[in-house]
Coordinates of all heavy atoms in Angstrom, one line a residue:
M8 N -19.2 56.6 10.3 CA -18.4 56.4 11.5 C -18.7 55.0 12.1 O -19.8 54.7 12.1 CB -18.6 57.5 12.5 CG -18.1 58.8 12.2 SD -18.4 59.9 13.6 CE -17.1 61.0 13.4
N9 N -17.7 54.4 12.5 CA -17.9 53.1 13.2 C -18.3 53.3 14.6 O -17.5 53.9 15.4 CB -16.6 52.3 13.1 CG -16.7 50.9 13.6 OD1 -17.6 50.6 14.5 ND2 -15.8 50.0 13.2
S10 N -19.4 52.8 15.1 CA -19.9 53.0 16.4 C -19.0 52.4 17.5 O -19.0 52.7 18.6 CB -21.3 52.5 16.6 OG -21.3 51.1 16.4
K11 N -18.1 51.5 17.1 CA -17.2 50.8 18.0 C -16.0 51.7 18.3 O -15.3 51.5 19.3 CB -16.7 49.5 17.5 CG -17.8 48.4 17.6 CD -17.3 47.1 17.2 CE -18.4 46.1 17.3 NZ -18.0 44.7 17.0
T12 N -15.7 52.7 17.4 CA -14.5 53.5 17.6 C -14.8 54.9 18.0 O -13.9 55.6 18.5 CB -13.6 53.5 16.3 OG1 -14.4 54.0 15.3 CG2 -13.1 52.1 16.0
T13 N -16.0 55.4 17.8 CA -16.3 56.8 18.2 C -17.6 56.8 18.9 O -18.4 55.9 18.8 CB -16.4 57.7 17.0 OG1 -17.4 57.2 16.1 CG2 -15.1 57.8 16.3
T14 N -17.8 57.9 19.7 CA -19.1 58.1 20.3 C -19.5 59.5 20.0 O -18.8 60.3 19.4 CB -18.9 57.9 21.9 OG1 -18.1 59.0 22.4 CG2 -18.4 56.6 22.2
T15 N -20.7 59.9 20.5 CA -21.1 61.3 20.3 C -20.5 62.2 21.5 O -20.7 63.4 21.5 CB -22.6 61.4 20.3 OG1 -23.1 60.8 21.5 CG2 -23.2 60.7 19.1
R16 N -19.9 61.5 22.4 CA -19.3 62.3 23.5 C -18.0 63.0 23.1 O -17.1 62.3 22.6 CB -19.0 61.4 24.7 CG -20.3 60.8 25.3 CD -20.1 59.8 26.3 NE -19.3 60.3 27.4 CZ -18.7 59.6 28.3 NH1 -18.9 58.3 28.3 NH2 -17.9 60.1 29.2
P17 N -17.8 64.2 23.3 CA -16.6 64.9 22.9 C -15.5 64.8 23.9 O -15.7 64.5 25.1 CB -17.1 66.4 22.8 CG -18.1 66.5 23.8 CD -18.9 65.2 23.8
C18 N -14.3 64.9 23.4 CA -13.1 64.9 24.3 C -13.3 66.2 25.2 O -13.6 67.3 24.7 CB -11.9 65.0 23.5 SG -10.4 65.3 24.4
P19 N -13.0 66.0 26.5 CA -13.2 67.2 27.4 C -12.1 68.3 27.2 O -12.3 69.4 27.7 CB -13.1 66.6 28.8 CG -12.3 65.3 28.6 CD -12.7 64.8 27.2
C20 N -11.1 67.9 26.5 CA -10.0 68.9 26.2 C -10.2 69.7 24.9 O -10.2 70.9 25.0 CB -8.6 68.2 26.1 SG -8.2 67.3 27.6
C21 N -10.5 69.0 23.8 CA -10.5 69.7 22.5 C -11.9 69.6 21.9 O -12.1 70.2 20.8 CB -9.5 69.1 21.6 SG -9.9 67.4 21.1
R22 N -12.8 68.9 22.5 CA -14.2 68.8 22.0 C -14.3 68.0 20.7 O -15.4 67.9 20.2 CB -14.9 70.2 21.8 CG -14.7 71.1 23.0 CD -15.1 70.6 24.3 NE -16.5 70.3 24.4 CZ -17.0 69.6 25.4 NH1 -16.2 69.1 26.4 NH2 -18.3 69.3 25.5
Q23 N -13.3 67.3 20.3 CA -13.4 66.4 19.2 C -13.9 65.1 19.6 O -13.9 64.7 20.8 CB -12.0 66.2 18.5 CG -11.4 67.4 17.9 CD -12.2 67.9 16.8 OE1 -12.6 67.2 15.9 NE2 -12.5 69.2 16.8
P24 N -14.5 64.3 18.7 CA -15.0 63.0 19.2 C -13.9 62.1 19.7 O -12.8 62.1 19.3 CB -15.5 62.3 17.9 CG -15.7 63.5 16.9 CD -14.7 64.5 17.3
R25 N -14.3 61.3 20.7 CA -13.3 60.4 21.3 C -13.8 59.0 21.2 O -15.0 58.8 21.0 CB -13.1 60.7 22.8 CG -14.3 60.6 23.7 CD -14.0 61.0 25.1 NE -15.3 61.2 25.8 CZ -15.3 61.2 27.1 NH1 -14.2 61.0 27.8 NH2 -16.5 61.4 27.7
G26 N -12.9 58.0 21.2 CA -13.3 56.6 21.0 C -14.2 56.1 22.2 O -14.2 56.7 23.3
A27 N -14.9 55.1 21.9 CA -15.8 54.5 22.9 C -14.9 54.0 24.1 O -13.8 53.5 23.9 CB -16.5 53.3 22.3
A28 N -15.3 54.3 25.3 CA -14.7 53.9 26.5 C -13.3 54.5 26.6 O -12.4 54.0 27.3 CB -14.6 52.4 26.6
K29 N -13.1 55.7 26.0 CA -11.8 56.4 26.1 C -12.0 57.6 26.9 O -13.1 58.3 26.9 CB -11.3 56.8 24.7 CG -11.0 55.6 23.8 CD -9.9 54.7 24.3 CE -9.7 53.6 23.3 NZ -8.8 52.6 23.9
Y30 N -11.0 58.0 27.7 CA -11.1 59.2 28.5 C -10.9 60.5 27.7 O -11.5 61.5 28.0 CB -10.0 59.2 29.6 CG -10.1 58.0 30.5 CD1 -8.9 57.5 31.0 CD2 -11.3 57.5 30.9 CE1 -9.0 56.4 31.9 CE2 -11.4 56.4 31.8 CZ -10.2 55.9 32.2 OH -10.2 54.8 33.1
L31 N -10.0 60.5 26.7 CA -9.7 61.6 25.8 C -9.6 61.1 24.4 O -9.6 59.9 24.1 CB -8.4 62.2 26.2 CG -8.1 62.6 27.7 CD1 -6.7 63.0 27.9 CD2 -9.1 63.7 28.1
C32 N -9.6 62.1 23.5 CA -9.4 61.7 22.1 C -7.9 61.2 21.9 O -7.1 61.5 22.8 CB -9.7 62.9 21.1 SG -8.5 64.2 21.2
Y33 N -7.6 60.6 20.8 CA -6.3 60.0 20.6 C -5.2 61.1 20.7 O -4.2 60.9 21.3 CB -6.3 59.3 19.2 CG -5.0 58.7 18.9 CD1 -4.6 57.5 19.5 CD2 -4.1 59.3 18.0 CE1 -3.4 56.8 19.2 CE2 -2.9 58.6 17.7 CZ -2.6 57.4 18.3 OH -1.4 56.8 18.0
A34 N -5.5 62.3 20.0 CA -4.5 63.3 20.0 C -4.2 63.9 21.4 O -3.0 64.1 21.8 CB -4.9 64.5 19.1
C35 N -5.2 64.1 22.2 CA -5.0 64.6 23.6 C -4.4 63.6 24.5 O -3.5 63.9 25.3 CB -6.4 65.1 24.1 SG -7.0 66.6 23.3
W36 N -4.8 62.3 24.3 CA -4.2 61.3 25.1 C -2.7 61.2 24.9 O -1.9 61.1 25.8 CB -4.8 59.9 24.7 CG -4.2 58.8 25.5 CD1 -3.3 57.8 25.0 CD2 -4.6 58.4 26.8 NE1 -3.1 56.9 26.0 CE2 -3.8 57.2 27.1 CE3 -5.4 58.9 27.8 CZ2 -3.9 56.6 28.3 CZ3 -5.5 58.2 29.0 CH2 -4.7 57.1 29.3
G37 N -2.2 61.4 23.6 CA -0.8 61.4 23.3 C -0.1 62.6 23.9 O 1.2 62.5 24.0
N38 N -0.8 63.6 24.3 CA -0.1 64.8 24.8 C 0.1 64.7 26.4 O 0.7 65.6 27.0 CB -0.9 66.1 24.5 CG -0.7 66.5 23.1 OD1 0.4 66.3 22.5 ND2 -1.8 67.0 22.4
L39 N -0.5 63.7 27.0 CA -0.4 63.5 28.4 C 1.0 62.9 28.7 O 1.6 62.2 27.8 CB -1.4 62.5 28.9 CG -2.8 62.9 29.1 CD1 -3.7 61.7 29.5 CD2 -2.9 64.1 30.1
P40 N 1.7 63.3 29.8 CA 2.9 62.7 30.1 C 2.8 61.1 30.3 O 1.7 60.6 30.7 CB 3.3 63.3 31.5 CG 2.5 64.5 31.6 CD 1.2 64.3 30.8
G41 N 3.8 60.4 30.0 CA 3.8 59.0 30.1 C 3.4 58.4 31.4 O 2.5 57.5 31.4
P42 N 3.9 59.0 32.5 CA 3.4 58.5 33.8 C 1.9 58.6 34.0 O 1.3 57.8 34.6 CB 4.2 59.3 34.8 CG 5.5 59.7 34.1 CD 5.0 59.9 32.7
A43 N 1.3 59.7 33.5 CA -0.1 60.0 33.7 C -0.9 58.9 32.8 O -1.9 58.3 33.3 CB -0.5 61.4 33.3
R44 N -0.4 58.7 31.6 CA -1.1 57.7 30.8 C -1.0 56.3 31.4 O -2.0 55.6 31.4 CB -0.4 57.6 29.4 CG -0.8 58.8 28.5 CD -0.4 58.6 27.1 NE 0.9 58.1 26.9 CZ 2.0 58.9 26.6 NH1 1.9 60.2 26.5 NH2 3.2 58.3 26.4
S45 N 0.2 56.0 32.0 CA 0.3 54.7 32.6 C -0.6 54.5 33.8 O -1.3 53.5 34.0 CB 1.7 54.5 33.1 OG 2.6 54.4 32.0
A46 N -0.7 55.6 34.6 CA -1.6 55.5 35.8 C -3.1 55.4 35.3 O -3.8 54.6 35.9 CB -1.4 56.8 36.6
L47 N -3.5 56.1 34.3 CA -4.8 56.1 33.9 C -5.2 54.8 33.2 O -6.4 54.5 33.1 CB -5.1 57.3 32.9 CG -5.1 58.7 33.6 CD1 -5.0 59.8 32.6 CD2 -6.4 58.8 34.4
S48 N -4.2 54.1 32.7 CA -4.5 52.8 32.0 C -4.7 51.6 33.0 O -5.1 50.6 32.6 CB -3.3 52.5 31.1 OG -3.2 53.4 30.0
R49 N -4.3 51.8 34.3 CA -4.4 50.8 35.2 C -5.9 50.6 35.6 O -6.6 51.6 35.8 CB -3.7 51.1 36.5 CG -2.2 51.1 36.3 CD -1.4 51.4 37.6 NE -1.8 50.4 38.6 CZ -1.8 50.7 39.9 NH1 -1.4 51.9 40.4 NH2 -2.1 49.8 40.8
R50 N -6.3 49.4 35.7 CA -7.7 49.0 36.0 C -7.7 48.4 37.4 O -7.4 47.2 37.5 CB -8.3 48.0 35.0 CG -8.3 48.6 33.6 CD -9.4 49.7 33.4 NE -9.3 50.2 32.1 CZ -9.0 51.5 31.8 NH1 -8.6 52.3 32.7 NH2 -9.0 51.9 30.5
D51 N -8.0 49.2 38.4 CA -8.1 48.7 39.7 C -9.1 49.5 40.5 O -9.8 50.3 39.9 CB -6.7 48.7 40.4 CG -6.1 50.1 40.5 OD1 -6.8 51.1 40.3 OD2 -4.9 50.2 40.7
S52 N -9.1 49.3 41.8 CA -10.1 50.0 42.7 C -9.9 51.5 42.7 O -10.8 52.3 43.1 CB -10.1 49.5 44.1 OG -8.9 49.7 44.7
K53 N -8.8 52.0 42.3 CA -8.5 53.5 42.3 C -8.6 54.1 40.9 O -8.4 55.3 40.8 CB -7.0 53.7 42.8 CG -6.8 53.2 44.2 CD -7.4 54.1 45.2 CE -7.0 53.6 46.6 NZ -7.6 54.4 47.6
A54 N -9.1 53.4 39.9 CA -9.2 53.9 38.6 C -10.1 55.1 38.5 O -9.8 56.1 37.8 CB -9.6 52.8 37.6
R55 N -11.2 55.0 39.1 CA -12.2 56.1 39.1 C -11.6 57.4 39.7 O -11.8 58.5 39.2 CB -13.5 55.8 39.8 CG -14.5 56.9 39.7 CD -15.8 56.5 40.2 NE -16.4 55.6 39.2 CZ -17.6 55.5 38.9 NH1 -18.5 56.2 39.5 NH2 -18.0 54.7 38.0
D56 N -10.8 57.2 40.8 CA -10.2 58.4 41.5 C -9.2 59.0 40.5 O -9.1 60.3 40.5 CB -9.5 57.9 42.8 CG -10.5 57.5 43.8 OD1 -11.6 57.8 43.8 OD2 -10.0 56.7 44.7
R57 N -8.4 58.2 39.8 CA -7.4 58.8 38.9 C -8.1 59.5 37.7 O -7.7 60.6 37.3 CB -6.5 57.7 38.3 CG -5.6 57.1 39.4 CD -4.5 56.2 38.8 NE -5.1 55.0 38.3 CZ -5.3 53.9 39.0 NH1 -4.9 53.8 40.3 NH2 -5.8 52.8 38.5
L58 N -9.2 58.9 37.2 CA -10.0 59.6 36.2 C -10.5 61.0 36.7 O -10.4 62.0 36.0 CB -11.1 58.7 35.7 CG -12.0 59.3 34.6 CD1 -11.2 59.7 33.4 CD2 -13.1 58.3 34.3
Q59 N -11.0 61.0 37.9 CA -11.5 62.3 38.4 C -10.4 63.3 38.6 O -10.6 64.5 38.3 CB -12.2 62.0 39.7 CG -13.5 61.3 39.6 CD -14.2 61.0 40.9 OE1 -13.6 60.9 41.9 NE2 -15.5 60.7 40.8
E60 N -9.2 62.8 38.9 CA -8.0 63.7 39.0 C -7.8 64.3 37.6 O -7.5 65.5 37.5 CB -6.8 62.9 39.4 CG -6.6 62.7 40.9 CD -5.2 62.1 41.1 OE1 -4.2 62.7 41.0 OE2 -5.2 60.9 41.5
L61 N -7.8 63.5 36.6 CA -7.5 64.0 35.3 C -8.6 65.0 34.9 O -8.2 66.1 34.5 CB -7.6 62.8 34.3 CG -7.7 63.2 32.8 CD1 -6.4 63.8 32.3 CD2 -8.0 62.0 31.9
Y62 N -9.8 64.7 35.1 CA -10.9 65.6 34.6 C -10.9 66.9 35.5 O -11.2 68.0 34.9 CB -12.3 65.0 34.7 CG -12.5 64.0 33.6 CD1 -13.4 62.9 33.7 CD2 -11.8 64.0 32.4 CE1 -13.6 62.0 32.7 CE2 -11.9 63.1 31.4 CZ -12.9 62.1 31.5 OH -13.1 61.2 30.5
R63 N -10.5 66.9 36.8 CA -10.4 68.1 37.6 C -9.3 69.0 37.0 O -9.5 70.2 36.9 CB -10.1 67.8 39.0 CG -11.4 67.4 39.8 CD -11.1 67.4 41.3 NE -10.1 66.4 41.7 CZ -10.4 65.2 42.1 NH1 -11.7 64.8 42.1 NH2 -9.5 64.3 42.4
Q64 N -8.2 68.4 36.7 CA -7.1 69.2 36.1 C -7.4 69.8 34.8 O -7.1 70.9 34.5 CB -5.8 68.4 36.1 CG -5.3 68.0 37.4 CD -4.1 67.2 37.4 OE1 -3.0 67.6 36.9 NE2 -4.2 65.9 37.8
V65 N -8.1 69.0 33.9 CA -8.5 69.5 32.6 C -9.4 70.7 32.8 O -9.3 71.7 32.2 CB -9.2 68.4 31.8 CG1 -9.9 68.9 30.6 CG2 -8.1 67.3 31.3
S66 N -10.4 70.5 33.7 CA -11.4 71.6 34.0 C -10.7 72.9 34.5 O -11.2 74.0 34.3 CB -12.4 71.1 34.9 OG -13.2 70.1 34.4
A67 N -9.6 72.7 35.3 CA -8.9 73.8 35.8 C -8.0 74.5 34.8 O -7.3 75.5 35.2 CB -8.1 73.3 37.1
G68 N -7.9 73.9 33.6 CA -7.0 74.5 32.6 C -5.6 74.1 32.7 O -4.7 74.8 32.0
V69 N -5.2 73.1 33.4 CA -3.8 72.6 33.4 C -3.5 72.1 32.1 O -4.2 71.3 31.5 CB -3.7 71.5 34.5 CG1 -2.3 70.9 34.5 CG2 -4.0 72.0 35.9
P70 N -2.3 72.5 31.5 CA -1.9 72.0 30.2 C -1.7 70.5 30.2 O -1.3 70.0 31.2 CB -0.6 72.7 29.9 CG -0.6 73.9 30.8 CD -1.4 73.6 32.0
L71 N -2.1 69.8 29.2 CA -2.0 68.4 29.2 C -0.6 67.9 29.5 O -0.5 66.9 30.2 CB -2.5 67.8 27.8 CG -4.0 67.9 27.5 CD1 -4.2 67.5 26.1 CD2 -4.8 67.1 28.5
A72 N 0.4 68.5 29.0 CA 1.8 68.1 29.2 C 2.2 68.2 30.7 O 3.2 67.6 31.1 CB 2.7 68.9 28.3
E73 N 1.4 68.9 31.5 CA 1.7 69.1 32.9 C 0.8 68.3 33.9 O 1.0 68.4 35.1 CB 1.6 70.6 33.2 CG 2.6 71.4 32.5 CD 2.5 72.9 32.7 OE1 1.8 73.3 33.7 OE2 3.0 73.7 31.9
I74 N -0.1 67.6 33.3 CA -1.0 66.8 34.2 C -0.3 65.7 34.9 O 0.5 65.0 34.3 CB -2.2 66.3 33.4 CG1 -3.1 67.5 33.0 CG2 -3.0 65.2 34.1 CD1 -4.4 67.2 32.3
Q75 N -0.6 65.6 36.2 CA 0.0 64.5 37.0 C -1.2 63.8 37.6 O -2.2 64.4 38.1 CB 0.8 65.1 38.1 CG 2.1 65.8 37.6 CD 2.9 66.4 38.7 OE1 2.6 66.2 39.9 NE2 4.0 67.1 38.3
V76 N -1.1 62.5 37.6 CA -2.1 61.6 38.2 C -1.5 60.7 39.2 O -0.4 60.1 38.9 CB -2.8 60.8 37.0 CG1 -3.9 59.9 37.6 CG2 -3.5 61.8 36.0
T77 N -2.1 60.5 40.3 CA -1.6 59.6 41.3 C -1.5 58.2 40.7 O -2.5 57.7 40.2 CB -2.5 59.6 42.5 OG1 -2.7 60.9 43.0 CG2 -2.0 58.7 43.6
P78 N -0.3 57.5 40.9 CA -0.2 56.1 40.4 C -1.1 55.1 41.1 O -1.6 55.3 42.1 CB 1.3 55.8 40.7 CG 2.0 57.0 41.1 CD 0.9 58.0 41.4

């Protein structure tokens, strides 16, 4: 495995390895709605808040296709 593309940290959704500096694995990321992916891709002062929103919903069992993240 290339250390630049994977880590030992599992995806919080499916437990598969996720890429370095990635919130989810590639497959789970693709299952998020487009607006959620767009919001999570923004790098600004609210980025951490949006990431926490994502992880709270994942922990609560919200299906990936229904996750909403504040823009």
